[in-house]
Amino acid sequence: MRIKNVVKVMNFHSLLKVEKAKKKAEKYRDVGEEVTDIVRKIMYNKNLILDKKVLTVDESKPVLNIYIANDYGFCGDFNASIRRQMKMDKDCYKIVVGSKITLKDEKIILKISKEDFYNRFVEIESAIYKALDNMEYREINLYYNHYNSSSSFSFMGLRLFPIEFDGDYYEGHDYVAETDPEKMIRSLVGFYICYQIKMCESISLAAENLNRSQITKLALDKIEEIEEEQKNDEIREKNEKLIAKTVENFKKISREET
């Protein structure tokens, strides 16, 4: 009974954390969609492209991937998809959030624990801005577990840079810049990437707690199943003793009559 109560508390806390993380992620998402739209309009503005004031990707450069894992209890299955992706990405440079990802890779340029994500986010931010200033990578991607609904989550990859092009250049938007336009675009894209990382960390946190909630719910179901079996065994044993006693009494009465 004590174990059952502990698991119930864990399940309850997981559900509370799911809701808290969802609300946080929704705040990021609402603003994130607007930021994405603004950055895309600048990145693919026809006038800026003609003036060669946009960021040009060098296809010979390597790829940088960012992975958001989990450091808390019941994280084995949750982190498995992250490990698989990292093993596949042999030639990519990596930033890893999650100390329980123990995969050794010489291309890991930064690794921080999930608990220190916000305390050390400035290190991630610095790596992103440095990469954009020097155009060190042809592509920056993010991998994490995405919260879909109250019953499911899925592993997801998201390209952060270059920002996805929808096939049409934006016209009718002309900009007057009092600073270096390319430097301004780098700064804006860096802000966009860091914003997306924080948003996805919140979504991942919701998925992480959903995973924990599902595991504790299965544990509760198993405990209740065991309790039911024990209860049935006790009833069966009690009935068997009662039957045995009844038979013994019947035999005793039969002997006395004879």
Side-chain angles (χ1 to χ4, degrees):
M1 183 61 71
R2 183 179 177 184
I3 294 175
K4 183 178 180 180
N5 289 337
V6 171
V7 176
K8 277 185 176 179
V9 171
M10 291 171 65
N11 181 260
F12 179 69
H13 284 174
S14 296
L15 291 172
L16 288 179
K17 289 178 180 178
V18 168
E19 290 303 313
K20 183 178 179 180
K22 276 173 56 184
K23 289 179 181 178
K24 187 176 180 181
E26 284 168 2
K27 290 180 182 178
Y28 276 118
R29 185 186 61 201
D30 293 340
V31 179
E33 290 175 357
E34 295 298 323
V35 171
T36 302
D37 187 53
I38 292 170
V39 173
R40 186 181 286 115
K41 285 180 178 178
I42 295 174
M43 284 284 294
Y44 299 107
N45 177 269
K46 191 171 184 179
N47 292 330
L48 290 176
I49 291 171
L50 290 172
D51 292 340
K52 297 182 179 179
K53 298 297 185 181
V54 294
L55 303 184
T56 303
V57 174
D58 184 347
E59 292 296 334
S60 67
K61 296 290 186 178
V63 172
L64 172 65
N65 287 340
I66 303 163
Y67 309 87
I68 299 177
N70 170 31
D71 280 350
Y72 303 108
F74 310 118
C75 65
D77 292 341
F78 191 88
N79 286 343
S81 52
I82 299 289
R83 291 192 187 91
R84 281 195 297 269
Q85 186 65 45
M86 289 179 66
K87 288 180 180 179
M88 290 170 58
D89 301 335
K90 294 180 181 178
D91 297 326
C92 302
Y93 287 91
K94 301 170 177 66
I95 293 175
V96 182
V97 178
S99 59
K100 287 195 175 181
I101 298 295
T102 56
L103 187 68
K104 293 183 178 179
D105 191 324
E106 61 183 13
K107 290 187 177 291
I108 294 177
I109 61 173
L110 177 62
K111 183 176 181 180
I112 63 177
S113 68
K114 188 71 176 290
E115 187 178 7
D116 287 334
F117 177 77
Y118 285 99
N119 294 333
R120 295 180 59 188
F121 189 79
V122 65
E123 297 176 45
I124 298 177
E125 193 174 44
S126 177
I128 296 298
Y129 279 101
K130 176 177 174 292
L132 292 171
D133 285 342
N134 301 314
M135 292 303 289
E136 296 174 353
Y137 306 103
R138 71 175 184 270
E139 197 173 293
I140 301 175
N141 302 299
L142 175 66
Y143 293 97
Y144 69 107
N145 285 287
H146 185 86
Y147 176 91
N148 298 319
S149 67
S150 59
S151 60
S152 73
F153 63 91
S154 56
F155 180 66
M156 182 172 289
L158 177 66
R159 192 177 79 176
L160 300 178
F161 179 77
I163 296 169
E164 187 176 354
F165 179 47
D166 60 10
D168 294 315
Y169 291 108
Y170 292 90
E171 298 185 61
H173 300 279
D174 206 359
Y175 300 96
V176 176
E178 297 181 358
T179 185
D180 180 356
E182 194 171 335
K183 185 177 180 180
M184 181 271 292
I185 291 172
R186 281 197 181 98
S187 178
L188 187 59
V189 172
F191 169 78
Y192 163 80
I193 292 173
C194 291
Y195 195 95
Q196 290 287 87
I197 293 171
K198 286 184 177 180
M199 180 177 70
C200 291
E201 189 276 336
S202 295
I203 297 172
S204 174
L205 186 61
E208 170 187 320
N209 282 289
L210 173 61
N211 181 51
R212 191 175 296 111
S213 173
Q214 290 174 339
I215 291 171
T216 51
K217 178 64 169 61
L218 287 173
L220 280 173
D221 290 345
K222 188 63 178 177
I223 290 171
E224 288 175 357
E225 182 183 329
I226 292 171
E227 286 179 345
E228 187 66 25
E229 288 178 358
Q230 289 175 340
K231 184 179 178 181
N232 290 336
D233 288 342
E234 289 173 1
I235 293 172
R236 190 182 302 111
E237 185 178 350
K238 185 177 180 180
N239 288 337
E240 287 174 354
K241 287 181 179 179
L242 181 60
I243 292 170
K245 186 175 181 181
T246 302
V247 170
E248 187 62 33
N249 288 338
F250 178 77
K251 289 179 178 179
K252 184 178 180 181
I253 293 171
S254 297
R255 285 195 299 269
E256 290 175 352
E257 288 179 350
T258 58

